[in-house]
Amino acid sequence: MSAATVPDGAAGALSVPEADAVVVDPVYDAVAARSAAVVVRAYSTSFGWACRLLGDDVRAHVRGVYALVRVADEIVDDPRPGLSVAESRELLDELEHEVARARGRGRSSNLVVHAFARTARRFGIGDDLVAPFFASMRTDLTVTAHDEAGFAAYVHGSAEVVGLMCLRVFLAGDDAAYERLAPGAARLGAAFQKVNFLRDLAEDVDLRGRSYFPGLDVDAFGDADRDRLLADIDGDLAAARVAIDDLPRSSRVAVRVAHDLFAELSRRLAATPAATIRRERVRVPGPVKARLVAGALAGEMLR
């Protein structure tokens, strides 16, 4: 399935109404932002570390993006045996419909959606990024293996567009800078996703029956496969690193920390036997994360 195409009848095919003036409700907006922050804290320690380093003017909005991503991801990854594919698809369609409505009218009774919609309206996050995201989420309900084209489309919709959403927030309407930095942001999102595919190999295959990497025989997964996948990931990380220095100060340190955390994961995966990766999830210890944060802060002070 192309990440840029939503199936007939899916919610993402809806056009978003022209944004009308919205009555500001600071209390409701603040509650929605806190709800998004709760989601971020619950689901990602690494992202939480980096997010705290964002400037006050962008932190809540980036959390709003990530919280919506997590809610959609939980719908398609729900491990409960009683929930059918059709029921999961219905939940995802409902979420996409609500996102479209909220982006148009500026309000939602779903607090996470409300937080995302505020961000999308303020920073111009449009259908070009939202529709591919939901298209990729939808493939997780039925697709268990990818060819090269399907993998590229899935990574674009599930990860690259998330990096581009965050870039919209970081640059706050600077379209020229967005066009210049977009390739690096997309490569960073792709690297994050591919690292997670590799470190979650056992869980994805054994629990969900999914194998994301094209042509990979998981049962015969060896060190040569590991090294080939990591070479591609390291290429993405290197391309993304070049763009980080051109980000605004309010986001530069946080993005560098996120980059360095995943670069550390890549190094640890490279030092881990493939047989172990097939069984266990590789992690970065807390003290190492703290060292990476300190290094990024020190580097910023020397600029």
Side-chain angles (χ1 to χ4, degrees), residues 75 82-92 138 140-142:
I75 290 174
L83 200 64
S84 68
V85 170
E87 289 169 321
S88 294
R89 184 183 292 110
E90 182 179 5
L91 287 173
L92 190 64
R138 196 169 281 107
D140 269 336
L141 295 175
T142 56

Side-chain angles (χ1 to χ4, degrees), residues 27-37 64 110-116 118:
V27 174
Y28 192 78
D29 291 347
V31 171
R34 288 198 296 272
S35 298
N110 180 320
L111 289 169
V112 168
V113 172
H114 182 83
F116 175 81
R118 286 186 64 236

Side-chain angles (χ1 to χ4, degrees), residues 30-131:
V31 171
R34 288 198 296 272
S35 298
V38 168
V39 174
V40 171
R41 286 196 300 271
Y43 283 101
S44 177
T45 56
S46 294
F47 185 81
W49 278 67
C51 208
R52 286 192 289 272
L53 297 171
L54 289 168
D56 292 341
D57 55 333
V58 297
R59 186 184 307 115
H61 292 291
V62 170
R63 285 172 172 163
V65 170
Y66 184 80
L68 177 70
V69 169
R70 288 306 316 179
V71 169
D73 199 51
E74 286 304 300
I75 290 174
V76 299
D77 283 349
D78 193 328
R80 291 179 298 173
L83 200 64
S84 68
V85 170
E87 289 169 321
S88 294
R89 184 183 292 110
E90 182 179 5
L91 287 173
L92 190 64
D93 288 349
E94 289 171 354
L95 180 64
E96 189 174 11
H97 273 290
E98 183 58 21
V99 167
R101 286 193 293 265
R103 286 171 53 218
R105 67 192 174 198
R107 192 175 181 91
S108 173
S109 58
N110 180 320
L111 289 169
V112 168
V113 172
H114 182 83
F116 175 81
R118 286 186 64 236
T119 296
R121 288 167 63 92
R122 176 173 173 179
F123 296 102
I125 296 173
D127 286 338
D128 60 317
L129 302 180
V130 176

Side-chain angles (χ1 to χ4, degrees), residues 125-193:
I125 296 173
D127 286 338
D128 60 317
L129 302 180
V130 176
F133 169 72
F134 278 103
S136 283
M137 291 299 95
R138 196 169 281 107
T139 66
D140 269 336
L141 295 175
T142 56
V143 177
T144 57
H146 295 269
D147 58 17
E148 291 288 348
F151 180 74
Y154 181 85
V155 170
H156 174 69
S158 66
E160 292 178 358
V161 300
V162 178
L164 294 171
M165 290 178 194
C166 291
L167 187 64
R168 282 288 185 197
V169 175
F170 298 156
L171 299 178
D174 187 339
D175 290 337
Y178 178 85
E179 291 302 320
R180 180 167 47 87
L181 298 178
R187 294 286 292 273
L188 188 60
F192 290 174
Q193 183 70 294

Side-chain angles (χ1 to χ4, degrees), residues 1 10 57 95 157 178 199 211 224 227 242 245 260 297:
M1 177 189 301
D57 55 333
L95 180 64
Y178 178 85
R199 67 199 292 245
S211 179
D227 294 345
V242 174
D245 286 342
D260 291 354
L297 290 170

